């Protein structure tokens, strides 16, 4: 590998240097493409900075790998399965709309208004979430609006490293309030089998309006656990193939990008509470395993609640954070008319993370 | 329990109750966090030891018996940094003769003291030999330790071996504890028992800036410049650190002379240019001064508190600092920090956490002076 790359190295190095110096001498171009170039350059080359204070050597692990790992896990966890179940064309077009509107339109306008030096690359992850949490048949403009809102919220709330709540979920909350009808319809039936040309592009034409959870609420019927796990039951575009989500979530935990305490406490508390309520209230409450596998719980627990910036820093507080998410999810799902509680629970706990964190610090250090 | 009370109750015992099997409970020898450095930086040394003599008259090694009563001696045979002097250089694979040296030092100078050997548990032969030896001597205890950095820090050694908490920078002699490394033990033996003159010490030279990692025997008072002559790679810039790049200091004045406190010299390549394809060529970047990433805001990843050996949350100091509330850092057990530098080492946002900690500590000291 090294030998193969050896001849291209000088050419590439020179090219990158020229492009880099060109970008940095033209403020306008730097403004638009500086971050993009920086990200690309950072992928191909190491940093130039050296250490000046103790310790003089540093570990080979940086935030870029962090983000890269999240992107890889999301692609493996929902993009690829969704392409199979719903046809690649819908998925790709939605992703493109989300990225273009979110990053290249809204973020750029924001950067102009806020007079920032250049747009940051942190919006990629948020924009990758947007199509995942909308129904598969959601119109493209809805996806674009969602991405725009997510980026606006992210910037208003302080930008990368300073988010109060998960911007993607916040934008979905906004869409739920503004367009309630669009978010409970358009649940395309996932395709199963060997695809022909048509289904490969578009998926199946069948559309239902009921997710497994609404079906349970109205008729009391539960979907088979296997179909929930494999993704052949309908739901939002990115939440159906739970097996892939669990595997890539575990990979993230192994890479130490996601903190295991949050999924453990979130899923654990959902399980315990649903067992508890089932024992007391019987069949009016959804069965525990069905609760674990339905809706956006797996996606939320592994990918959204674990976003370190919106969770608490203290590790003990992470247990409380996860358990709180679980409690709210179970309560909303079973005792309100709302079809799904994951989004609300994570958003609410994001807000509560700050008091929980300061409370835990107070308890721990007695200040 | 306060340190003093602890210590007094401990000192009142004449010696430790004899135990057949001198095993310490597993969790005693471990601490949360830390980092096993040899995995990341496997250093190999040339087995030939070169002598380097000084130009002037060399200084002599002198051992001063502490004024306080020494109740406990800890011999550290568990170097955790790969650039520290390996045990085999002093022990020469003959552990019993080293232990006999220790015995003579003890009987002559510290007759009432208890001696604990902290040995790298990976060196099974040494551990076994020491255990065999200790089973006949009731004043000696053996502690096989996992050589995870910074296990050999005095604070952690005292905690594991004596179960007492001391604060960072505290003089252990005032507690009646003497901590020695292998090289000092052999120097004490040479100078005080055999009455030979000791005017040189072994110094480990390593790092990416050198042609070869090696161990040299240097007369005290030799300048660093002379030691490094002909040993540094001609290509590119380099920087010199004594006592390791993690806790040691950078040396800009190479005419500085070697004294007994210098254990090793690490010469690192100054990689202040971009390297193509860092993913597959990490060997070119590892153990250089490159930051290996760019400075960003804290992402609350918990790496720093996972790795901290004394269970602190360094990000809290960073946040107090950036909010302009340096004085608040002290509320979060700042004084417990042993300045091992692992938090800065691991931080993916490349924040200068140790620097911030030191600044906050300095502020604290000023504060104490005023009040
Ligand atoms: S390691 Fe660095 S980025 Fe991570 S929580 Fe600590 S200070 Fe923040
Ligand atoms: S330098 Fe201090 S705070 Fe940082 S890891 Fe070491 S002991 Fe913990």
């Amino acid at each position: 590998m090294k030998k193969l790359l050896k001849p291209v190295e000088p050419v590439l190095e020179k090219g990158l240097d020229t492009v880099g110096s060109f970008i940095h001498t033209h403020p306008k171009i730097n403004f638009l493409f500086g971050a993009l170039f920086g990200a690309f350059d950072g992928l191909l080359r190491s940093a130039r900075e050296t250490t000046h204070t103790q310790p003089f050597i540093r570990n080979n692990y940086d935030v870029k790998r962090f983000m890269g790992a999240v992107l890889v896990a999301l692609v493996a966890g929902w993009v690829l399965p969704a392409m199979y179940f719903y046809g690649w064309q819908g998925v790709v077009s939605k992703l493109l709309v989300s990225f273009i509107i979110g990053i290249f339109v809204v973020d750029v306008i924001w950067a102009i208004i806020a007079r920032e030096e250049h747009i940051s690359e942190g919006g990629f992850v948020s924009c990758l979430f947007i199509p995942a949490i909308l129904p598969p048949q959601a119109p493209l403009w809805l996806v674009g609006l969602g991405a725009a809102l997510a980026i606006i919220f992210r910037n208003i709330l302080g930008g990368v490293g300073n988010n109060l709540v998960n911007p993607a979920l916040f934008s979905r909350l906004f869409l739920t309030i503004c367009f309630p009808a669009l978010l409970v319809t358009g649940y395309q039936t996932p395709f199963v089998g060997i695809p022909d040309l048509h289904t490969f592009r578009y998926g199946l034409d069948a559309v239902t309006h009921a997710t497994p959870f609404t079906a349970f609420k109205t008729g009391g019927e539960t979907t088979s656990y296997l179909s929930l796990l494999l993704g052949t039951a309908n739901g939002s575009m990115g939440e159906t193939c739970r097996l892939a989500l669990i595997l890539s979530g575990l990979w993230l935990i192994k890479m130490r990008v996601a903190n295991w305490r949050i999924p453990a406490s979130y899923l654990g508390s959902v399980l315990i509470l649903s067992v508890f309520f089932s024992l007391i209230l019987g069949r009016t409450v959804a069965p525990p395993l069905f609760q674990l596998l339905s809706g956006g719980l797996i996606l939320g627990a592994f990918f959204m609640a674990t976003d370190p910036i919106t969770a608490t820093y203290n590790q003990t507080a992470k247990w409380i954070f996860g358990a709180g998410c679980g409690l709210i999810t179970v309560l909303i799902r079973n005792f309100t008319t709302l079809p799904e509680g994951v989004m609300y629970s994570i958003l609410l706990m994001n807000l509560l993370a700050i008091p929980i964190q300061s409370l835990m610090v107070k308890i721990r250090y007695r200040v | 329990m306060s340190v003093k009370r602890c210590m007094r109750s401990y000192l009142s015992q004449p010696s430790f109750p004899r135990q057949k099997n001198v095993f310490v409970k597993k969790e005693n020898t471990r601490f949360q966090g830390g980092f096993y450095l040899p995995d990341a930086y496997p250093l190999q040394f040339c087995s030939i030891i070169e002598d380097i003599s000084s130009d002037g008259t060399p200084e002599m090694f002198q051992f001063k018996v502490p004024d306080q009563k020494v109740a406990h001696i800890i011999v550290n045979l568990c170097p955790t940094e790969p650039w520290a002097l390996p045990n085999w250089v002093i022990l020469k694979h003959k552990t019993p003769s080293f232990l006999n040296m220790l015995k003579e030092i003890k009987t002559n100078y510290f007759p009432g003291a208890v001696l604990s050997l902290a040995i790298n548990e990976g060196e099974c032969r040494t551990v076994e030999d020491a255990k065999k030896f200790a089973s006949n001597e009731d004043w000696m205890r053996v502690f096989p330790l996992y050589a995870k950095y910074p296990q050999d820090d005095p604070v952690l050694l005292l905690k594991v071996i004596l179960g007492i908490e001391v604060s960072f920078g505290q003089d252990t002699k005032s507690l009646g504890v003497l901590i020695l490394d292998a090289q000092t033990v052999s120097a004490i033996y040479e100078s005080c028992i055999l009455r030979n003159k000791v005017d040189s010490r072994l110094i480990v030279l390593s790092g990416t800036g050198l042609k070869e990692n090696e161990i040299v025997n240097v007369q005290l008072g030799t300048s660093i410049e002379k030691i490094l002559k002909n040993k540094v790679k001609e290509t590119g810039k380099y920087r010199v650190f004594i006592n390791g790049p993690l806790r040691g200091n950078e040396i800009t004045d190479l005419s500085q002379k070697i004294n007994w406190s210098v254990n090793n010299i690490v010469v690192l390549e100054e990689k202040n240019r971009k390297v193509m394809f860092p993913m597959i060529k990490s060997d070119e970047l590892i153990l250089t001064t490159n930051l290996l990433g760019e400075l960003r805001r804290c992402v609350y990843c918990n790496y720093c508190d996972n790795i901290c050996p004394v269970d602190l949350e360094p990000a809290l100091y960073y946040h107090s600092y950036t909010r302009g509330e340096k004085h608040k850092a002290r509320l979060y057990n700042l004084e417990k920090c042993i300045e091992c530098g692992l938090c800065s080492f691991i931080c993916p946002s490349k924040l200068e956490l140790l620097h911030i900690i030191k600044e906050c500590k300095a502020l604290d000291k000023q504060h104490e002076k005023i009040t």
Side-chain angles (χ1 to χ4, degrees):
Chain A
M1 187 76 174
K2 259 188 214 172
K3 273 195 192 126
L4 267 176
L5 287 171
K6 196 123 204 165
V8 283
E9 252 173 55
V11 188
L12 208 57
E13 179 117 43
K14 214 164 167 211
L16 284 172
D17 277 341
T18 6
V19 176
S21 63
F22 174 78
I23 284 181
H24 288 302
T25 46
H26 295 72
K28 276 196 186 128
I29 293 171
N30 182 25
F31 171 77
L32 281 179
F33 299 105
L36 206 65
F37 176 75
F40 184 66
D41 191 30
L43 213 63
L44 289 181
R45 299 196 288 180
S46 68
R48 181 183 282 136
E49 289 77 26
T50 56
T51 51
H52 291 291
T53 65
Q54 258 176 357
F56 296 99
I57 49 173
R58 298 297 161 92
N59 193 32
N60 189 11
Y61 205 104
D62 63 351
V63 176
K64 232 171 249 143
R65 289 202 187 188
F66 228 84
M67 281 206 209
V70 175
L71 291 180
V72 168
L74 278 176
V75 168
W78 85 260
V79 177
L80 296 180
M83 280 187 183
Y84 171 75
F85 288 122
Y86 304 112
W88 66 267
Q89 194 158 329
V91 178
V92 170
S93 61
K94 277 181 187 152
L95 280 176
L96 277 180
V97 166
S98 173
F99 278 125
I100 290 172
I101 305 243
I103 293 167
F104 289 102
V105 178
V106 179
D107 222 9
V108 166
I109 294 175
W110 178 272
I112 294 173
I113 298 171
R115 294 180 189 282
E116 270 166 32
E117 210 173 294
H118 56 61
I119 58 173
S120 67
E121 79 278 84
F124 283 104
V125 177
S126 300
C127 288
L128 194 51
F129 271 126
I130 294 293
I133 51 181
L134 294 175
Q137 286 280 309
L140 282 181
W141 63 265
L142 196 72
V143 176
L145 186 65
L149 286 172
I151 298 296
I152 290 175
F153 287 137
R154 192 182 64 104
N155 289 335
I156 292 176
L157 297 174
V160 193
N162 233 345
N163 294 338
L164 190 62
V165 294
N166 191 316
L169 283 179
F170 202 66
S171 126
R172 152 114 200 200
L173 176 71
F174 219 78
L175 295 181
T176 318
I177 296 169
C178 299
F179 310 100
L182 281 174
L183 286 162
V184 291
T185 55
Y187 289 107
Q188 186 178 354
T189 313
F191 167 77
V192 190
I194 297 165
D196 57 26
L197 228 60
H198 179 76
T199 45
F200 191 57
R201 274 180 77 178
Y202 305 108
L204 287 182
D205 294 330
V207 172
T208 54
H209 299 316
T211 60
F213 220 91
T214 42
F216 175 79
K217 278 204 163 172
T218 47
E221 55 192 283
T222 55
T223 321
S224 97
Y225 295 150
L226 192 66
S227 78
L228 284 173
L229 196 63
L230 293 179
T232 51
N234 52 13
S236 293
M237 198 146 97
E239 69 185 26
T240 47
C241 186
R242 281 151 193 116
L243 191 65
L245 286 171
I246 291 173
L247 289 180
S248 49
L250 290 178
W251 179 74
L252 275 188
I253 288 173
K254 194 185 151 263
M255 297 290 289
R256 307 219 301 147
V257 171
N259 196 309
W260 62 273
R261 288 173 182 81
I262 291 175
S265 57
Y266 195 167
L267 299 177
S269 64
V270 167
L271 186 69
I272 291 170
L273 287 170
S274 52
V275 167
F276 175 73
F277 284 124
S278 300
L279 286 180
I280 298 178
L281 302 170
R283 287 290 293 165
T284 48
V285 180
L289 216 57
F290 177 69
Q291 297 230 19
L292 272 187
L293 289 176
S294 64
L297 183 62
I298 301 286
L299 180 71
F302 279 106
F303 291 91
M304 296 192 158
T306 52
D307 176 7
I309 295 162
T310 53
T312 61
Y313 168 64
N314 185 287
Q315 310 249 27
T316 328
K318 283 192 162 76
W319 288 102
I320 304 176
F321 178 85
C325 286
L327 175 71
I328 299 170
T329 306
V330 173
L331 289 183
I332 290 185
R333 275 180 172 182
N334 298 301
F335 303 109
T336 67
T337 50
L338 293 169
E340 173 61 308
V342 172
M343 170 178 72
Y344 301 100
S345 71
I346 295 178
L347 283 175
L348 204 64
M349 287 314 285
N350 281 169
L351 291 175
L352 285 179
I354 297 165
I356 294 175
Q357 162 75 19
S358 56
L359 192 74
M360 286 312 293
V361 166
K362 282 208 175 87
I363 292 172
R364 179 165 173 192
Y365 299 105
R366 301 207 174 79
V367 290
Chain B
M1 222 198 280
S2 78
V3 170
K4 275 213 182 105
R5 265 227 325 278
C6 240
M7 202 55 217
R8 213 174 295 132
S9 67
Y10 156 66
L11 286 179
S12 62
Q13 296 177 348
S15 72
F16 281 90
R18 267 293 294 281
Q19 286 172 328
K20 268 274 154 54
N21 242 332
V22 213
F23 271 127
V24 182
K25 264 190 278 149
K26 263 267 155 59
E27 55 265 39
N28 264 349
T29 58
R30 303 278 202 278
F31 55 94
Q32 291 289 312
F35 192 86
Y36 190 67
L37 287 165
D39 276 348
Y41 308 107
L43 296 183
Q44 294 290 329
F45 294 102
C46 171
S47 62
I48 301 160
I49 296 174
E50 185 190 339
D51 286 311
I52 299 178
S53 55
S54 96
D55 297 331
T57 42
E59 294 158 30
M60 290 295 152
F61 168 78
Q62 271 165 353
F63 177 66
K64 209 173 128 271
V65 181
D67 306 330
Q68 295 94 340
K69 182 180 179 306
V70 174
H72 208 116
I73 305 171
I74 297 175
V75 176
N76 172 16
L77 294 182
C78 180
T80 55
E81 290 165 89
W83 38 82
L85 192 70
N87 283 338
W88 59 261
V89 185
I90 300 286
L91 301 186
K92 302 190 185 74
H93 304 294
K94 286 183 217 130
T95 317
S97 63
F98 178 79
L99 296 177
N100 277 321
M101 268 154 64
L102 268 178
K103 189 174 177 180
E104 263 187 64
I105 295 173
K106 186 203 117 81
T107 34
N108 281 319
Y109 290 91
F110 312 103
V114 175
L115 194 139
S116 296
L117 277 175
I119 308 180
N120 182 348
E121 66 175 13
E123 297 176 18
C124 308
R125 277 281 302 277
T126 317
V127 174
E128 251 162 52
D129 286 349
K131 274 190 187 155
K132 213 183 283 164
F133 192 89
S135 60
N136 300 321
E137 313 283 340
D138 58 357
W139 46 270
M140 183 185 269
R141 305 197 304 167
V142 180
F143 290 82
L145 297 179
Y146 181 48
K148 185 163 68 165
Y149 178 81
Q151 176 69 75
D152 55 350
D153 183 272
V155 173
L156 293 171
L157 270 185
L158 255 67
K159 195 168 168 195
V160 165
I161 291 176
L162 301 182
I164 55 174
E165 305 251 350
V166 293
S167 51
F168 175 69
Q170 193 178 353
D171 182 17
T172 55
K173 286 196 193 99
S174 63
L175 294 171
V177 182
L178 190 65
I179 301 179
L180 301 171
D181 60 9
Q183 173 147 224
T184 314
V185 168
S186 88
I188 294 173
Y189 183 76
E190 282 280 318
S191 66
C192 302
I193 309 279
L194 300 182
R195 308 266 163 213
N196 290 337
K197 282 189 174 144
V198 179
D199 63 356
S200 64
R201 75 172 276 139
L202 294 161
I203 288 187
V204 183
L205 306 178
S206 58
T208 42
L210 295 178
K211 288 176 195 158
E212 195 178 22
N213 299 331
E214 56 184 317
I215 296 162
V216 290
N217 191 18
V218 182
Q219 271 190 321
L220 299 174
T222 317
S223 69
I224 293 178
E225 200 171 7
K226 184 166 179 198
I227 299 174
L228 294 181
K229 206 165 142 198
N230 296 331
K231 292 193 167 55
V232 181
K233 280 183 197 160
E234 276 90 23
T235 51
K237 276 199 277 184
Y238 62 91
R239 282 160 74 183
V240 181
F241 306 91
I242 59 172
N243 292 346
L246 279 176
R247 315 188 81 163
N249 291 313
E250 178 163 12
I251 301 299
T252 42
D253 173 21
L254 291 187
S255 62
Q256 193 171 327
K257 304 240 186 309
I258 292 292
N259 57 24
W260 196 263
S261 70
V262 179
N263 291 314
N264 54 66
I265 300 176
V266 177
V267 183
L268 299 185
E269 240 176 282
E270 170 86 336
K271 265 271 158 45
N272 54 357
R273 60 186 175 79
K274 298 194 172 189
V275 173
M276 285 300 277
F277 308 119
M279 303 291 178
I280 57 162
K281 291 207 294 192
S282 54
D283 52 324
E284 260 183 49
L285 285 161
I286 284 227
L287 205 61
T288 67
T289 56
N290 195 287
L291 209 48
L292 292 164
E294 56 205 43
L295 197 67
R296 282 164 189 254
R297 261 196 274 186
C298 173
V299 292
Y300 302 86
C301 61
N302 291 102
Y303 281 20
C304 48
D305 60 297
N306 275 334
I307 204 170
C308 179
V310 289
D311 196 23
L312 300 176
E313 294 177 311
L316 293 181
Y317 309 132
Y318 168 76
H319 293 294
S320 309
Y321 186 85
T322 45
R323 269 190 243 117
E325 297 171 336
K326 266 194 243 176
H327 56 282
K328 277 208 175 163
R330 135 178 77 108
L331 301 176
Y332 311 127
N333 289 353
L334 180 66
E335 75 289 345
K336 273 199 187 166
C337 167
I338 57 170
E339 300 187 6
C340 67
L342 279 179
C343 46
S344 300
F345 171 77
I346 205 81
C347 178
S349 300
K350 310 290 162 188
L351 300 171
E352 303 285 358
L353 296 168
L354 181 58
H355 188 69
I356 289 170
I357 288 171
K358 283 188 175 166
E359 223 172 277
C360 295
K361 275 190 176 176
L363 189 84
D364 222 26
K365 288 234 173 69
Q366 268 176 20
H367 190 78
E368 264 168 29
K369 254 181 217 161
I370 296 165
T371 51

